[in-house]
């Protein structure tokens, strides 16, 4: 094993920051934020692809950022800590081994070697303590499994009301914000979206574009908040067209048309859970 690397006193580079996608497992994306010299990793579920990417790009890891406790997001942390003496940022509401700085909404995560500061949002729903990171000075959102391209995470621990509030926070971010979610689920998500809202022209165009990317073996993420607001049914669940689809499918009674947006969201999420 290589010697433990401590870069806590390294000076930041003057190069601009960029984000590198590191594929892992069947459909995960692990994200490396880097300046050509230093890097921070978001949700390293597997250490080996990260170590390989660091080596291939001549990068040294200086921080780990975690959104939630699921193994495909934290499974590589302990191995990375055997290589690098670095801070691990994670949600205050979840117990994750190795986390050295817990975060909640209103806090910031600072990575001085990158000149990077990220604001933290509480976005429970997928898990009870899930957080998201919004880069300051960069149009970047790292949202784990809360918001997906064309979809949202399953409600394993949180409630529909929590997820409604969490997604509302993200939908209000600037429209050009790039959405770095953690999975390549886009085409599958858009198939469901088209079943719910088949006459949405932006959605039809998006499906064609994303399918073309996948045929070329290209990633469909990052997305943008503008694109999600125009095409993602879990941000559009109060649209009349989606309410009508829920009612026509027998998933939502007439009385819910205006009275209970959370009921509409819950019905939509349950539909997606069982969608083939």
């Amino acid at each position: 094993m290589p010697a433990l690397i401590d870069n806590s006193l390294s000076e930041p580079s003057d190069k601009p920051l960029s984000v590198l996608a590191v594929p892992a497992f069947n459909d995960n994306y692990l994200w490396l934020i880097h300046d050509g010299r230093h890097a921070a990793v978001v949700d390293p579920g597997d250490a080996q692809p990260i170590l390989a990417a660091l080596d291939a790009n001549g990068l040294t890891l200086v921080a780990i950022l975690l959104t939630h406790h699921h193994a495909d997001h934290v499974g590589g942390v302990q191995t990375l800590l055997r290589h690098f003496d670095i801070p691990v940022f994670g949600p205050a509401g979840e117990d994750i081994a190795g986390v050295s700085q817990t975060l909640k909404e209103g806090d910031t995560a600072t990575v001085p070697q990158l000149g990077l500061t990220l604001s933290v949002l509480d976005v429970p729903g997928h898990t009870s303590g899930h957080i998201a990171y919004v880069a300051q000075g960069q149009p970047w959102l790292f949202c784990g499994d809360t918001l997906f391209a064309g979809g949202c995470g399953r409600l394993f621990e949180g409630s529909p009301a929590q997820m409604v509030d969490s997604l509302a926070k993200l939908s209000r971010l600037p429209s050009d914000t790039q959405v770095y979610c953690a999975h390549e689920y886009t085409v599958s998500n858009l198939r469901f979206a088209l079943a719910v809202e088949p006459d949405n022209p932006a959605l039809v165009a998006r499906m064609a574009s994303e399918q073309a990317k996948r045929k070329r073996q290209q990633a469909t993420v990052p997305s943008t908040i503008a694109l999600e607001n125009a095409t993602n049914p879990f941000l559009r669940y109060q649209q009349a067209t989606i309410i009508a689809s829920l009612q026509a499918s027998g998933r939502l009674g007439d009385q819910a048309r205006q009275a209970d947006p959370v009921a509409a969201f819950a019905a939509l999420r349950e539909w997606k859970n069982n969608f083939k």
Side-chain angles (χ1 to χ4, degrees), residues 23-249:
F25 308 118
N26 293 325
D27 52 32
N28 281 66
Y29 290 123
L30 321 179
W31 301 108
L32 280 174
I33 309 167
H34 72 93
D35 62 1
R37 191 170 121 205
H38 302 120
V41 64
V42 182
D43 285 349
D46 187 353
Q48 295 311 313
I50 293 301
L51 292 170
L54 293 170
D55 183 63
N57 292 278
L59 302 172
T60 299
L61 197 65
V62 294
I64 297 171
L65 301 156
L66 305 177
T67 62
H68 66 292
H69 67 82
H70 286 164
D72 62 327
H73 292 252
V74 305
V77 170
Q78 295 305 315
T79 297
L80 292 174
L81 289 178
R82 289 197 287 272
H83 291 259
F84 304 97
D85 181 15
I86 56 178
V88 180
F89 299 91
E94 298 187 1
D95 184 14
I96 304 173
V99 169
S100 56
Q101 184 169 339
T102 58
L103 301 168
K104 62 184 183 305
E105 184 157 333
D107 292 338
T108 56
T110 302
V111 185
Q113 300 92 334
L114 292 172
L116 175 67
T117 300
L118 303 113
S119 302
V120 176
L121 295 174
D122 288 333
V123 287
H126 181 67
T127 66
S128 60
H130 204 302
I131 61 174
Y133 298 91
V134 180
Q136 296 184 6
Q138 302 282 356
W140 299 339
L141 165 68
F142 299 93
C143 52
D145 287 355
T146 297
L147 176 64
F148 291 135
C152 75
R154 284 178 179 259
L155 305 183
F156 287 122
E157 298 172 12
S159 67
Q162 285 179 313
M163 188 61 105
V164 162
D165 288 344
S166 296
L167 292 174
K169 292 178 186 179
L170 303 184
S171 73
R172 291 192 294 265
L173 292 171
S175 61
D176 65 343
T177 301
Q178 294 181 305
V179 179
Y180 289 94
C181 60
H183 291 276
E184 183 59 74
Y185 291 163
T186 310
V187 170
S188 174
N189 285 339
L190 295 181
R191 271 196 218 99
F192 172 70
L194 282 167
V196 173
E197 199 178 17
D199 297 325
N200 179 339
L203 178 55
V204 172
R206 183 180 187 184
M207 176 59 113
S209 173
E210 307 296 24
Q211 285 180 318
K213 289 177 187 175
R214 295 309 293 152
K215 286 180 181 178
R216 297 191 299 266
Q217 297 185 323
Q218 294 177 345
T220 62
V221 291
S223 174
T224 66
I225 290 297
L227 187 56
E228 295 310 313
N229 280 331
T231 60
N232 189 325
F234 294 100
L235 301 184
R236 297 172 56 79
Y237 63 94
Q238 295 186 73
Q239 293 291 318
T241 50
I242 292 181
I243 295 295
S245 287
L246 287 166
Q247 291 172 333
S249 67

